[in-house]
PDB file of all heavy atoms in Angstrom:
ATOM      1  N   ALA A 506     -17.698   0.549  -6.438  1.00  0.00           N
ATOM      2  CA  ALA A 506     -18.056  -0.431  -7.494  1.00  0.00           C
ATOM      3  C   ALA A 506     -16.799  -0.876  -8.243  1.00  0.00           C
ATOM      4  O   ALA A 506     -16.669  -2.047  -8.547  1.00  0.00           O
ATOM      5  CB  ALA A 506     -19.039   0.228  -8.438  1.00  0.00           C
ATOM      6  N   ARG A 507     -15.923   0.069  -8.510  1.00  0.00           N
ATOM      7  CA  ARG A 507     -14.672  -0.293  -9.238  1.00  0.00           C
ATOM      8  C   ARG A 507     -13.817  -1.228  -8.423  1.00  0.00           C
ATOM      9  O   ARG A 507     -13.202  -2.179  -8.912  1.00  0.00           O
ATOM     10  CB  ARG A 507     -13.914   0.955  -9.622  1.00  0.00           C
ATOM     11  CG  ARG A 507     -14.510   1.707 -10.754  1.00  0.00           C
ATOM     12  CD  ARG A 507     -13.642   2.862 -11.256  1.00  0.00           C
ATOM     13  NE  ARG A 507     -14.349   3.555 -12.306  1.00  0.00           N
ATOM     14  CZ  ARG A 507     -14.472   3.176 -13.534  1.00  0.00           C
ATOM     15  NH1 ARG A 507     -13.925   2.016 -13.909  1.00  0.00           N
ATOM     16  NH2 ARG A 507     -15.135   3.926 -14.426  1.00  0.00           N
ATOM     17  N   ALA A 508     -13.736  -0.986  -7.113  1.00  0.00           N
ATOM     18  CA  ALA A 508     -12.891  -1.856  -6.217  1.00  0.00           C
ATOM     19  C   ALA A 508     -13.478  -3.281  -6.215  1.00  0.00           C
ATOM     20  O   ALA A 508     -12.740  -4.262  -6.316  1.00  0.00           O
ATOM     21  CB  ALA A 508     -12.878  -1.235  -4.854  1.00  0.00           C
ATOM     22  N   TYR A 509     -14.775  -3.346  -6.082  1.00  0.00           N
ATOM     23  CA  TYR A 509     -15.395  -4.646  -6.043  1.00  0.00           C
ATOM     24  C   TYR A 509     -15.227  -5.419  -7.336  1.00  0.00           C
ATOM     25  O   TYR A 509     -14.928  -6.599  -7.425  1.00  0.00           O
ATOM     26  CB  TYR A 509     -16.871  -4.543  -5.668  1.00  0.00           C
ATOM     27  CG  TYR A 509     -17.564  -5.864  -5.438  1.00  0.00           C
ATOM     28  CD1 TYR A 509     -17.194  -6.687  -4.376  1.00  0.00           C
ATOM     29  CD2 TYR A 509     -18.542  -6.344  -6.310  1.00  0.00           C
ATOM     30  CE1 TYR A 509     -17.797  -7.896  -4.145  1.00  0.00           C
ATOM     31  CE2 TYR A 509     -19.132  -7.570  -6.121  1.00  0.00           C
ATOM     32  CZ  TYR A 509     -18.760  -8.339  -5.003  1.00  0.00           C
ATOM     33  OH  TYR A 509     -19.324  -9.555  -4.820  1.00  0.00           O
ATOM     34  N   LEU A 510     -15.395  -4.673  -8.478  1.00  0.00           N
ATOM     35  CA  LEU A 510     -15.227  -5.283  -9.795  1.00  0.00           C
ATOM     36  C   LEU A 510     -13.785  -5.746  -9.990  1.00  0.00           C
ATOM     37  O   LEU A 510     -13.545  -6.807 -10.607  1.00  0.00           O
ATOM     38  CB  LEU A 510     -15.641  -4.251 -10.842  1.00  0.00           C
ATOM     39  CG  LEU A 510     -16.119  -4.791 -12.171  1.00  0.00           C
ATOM     40  CD1 LEU A 510     -17.235  -5.810 -11.990  1.00  0.00           C
ATOM     41  CD2 LEU A 510     -16.585  -3.659 -13.065  1.00  0.00           C
ATOM     42  N   ASN A 511     -12.842  -4.977  -9.461  1.00  0.00           N
ATOM     43  CA  ASN A 511     -11.441  -5.363  -9.493  1.00  0.00           C
ATOM     44  C   ASN A 511     -11.235  -6.697  -8.770  1.00  0.00           C
ATOM     45  O   ASN A 511     -10.499  -7.599  -9.229  1.00  0.00           O
ATOM     46  CB  ASN A 511     -10.561  -4.238  -8.896  1.00  0.00           C
ATOM     47  CG  ASN A 511      -9.078  -4.535  -8.912  1.00  0.00           C
ATOM     48  OD1 ASN A 511      -8.476  -4.576  -7.861  1.00  0.00           O
ATOM     49  ND2 ASN A 511      -8.488  -4.706 -10.051  1.00  0.00           N
ATOM     50  N   ALA A 512     -11.874  -6.839  -7.620  1.00  0.00           N
ATOM     51  CA  ALA A 512     -11.840  -8.120  -6.858  1.00  0.00           C
ATOM     52  C   ALA A 512     -12.436  -9.258  -7.632  1.00  0.00           C
ATOM     53  O   ALA A 512     -11.863 -10.388  -7.708  1.00  0.00           O
ATOM     54  CB  ALA A 512     -12.442  -7.977  -5.496  1.00  0.00           C
ATOM     55  N   VAL A 513     -13.587  -8.980  -8.308  1.00  0.00           N
ATOM     56  CA  VAL A 513     -14.244 -10.009  -9.090  1.00  0.00           C
ATOM     57  C   VAL A 513     -13.271 -10.461 -10.220  1.00  0.00           C
ATOM     58  O   VAL A 513     -13.085 -11.668 -10.449  1.00  0.00           O
ATOM     59  CB  VAL A 513     -15.560  -9.491  -9.700  1.00  0.00           C
ATOM     60  CG1 VAL A 513     -16.074 -10.444 -10.752  1.00  0.00           C
ATOM     61  CG2 VAL A 513     -16.575  -9.249  -8.603  1.00  0.00           C
TER      62      VAL A 513
END
Side-chain angles (χ1 to χ4, degrees):
R507 287 190 182 281
Y509 186 67
L510 206 53
N511 180 241
V513 169

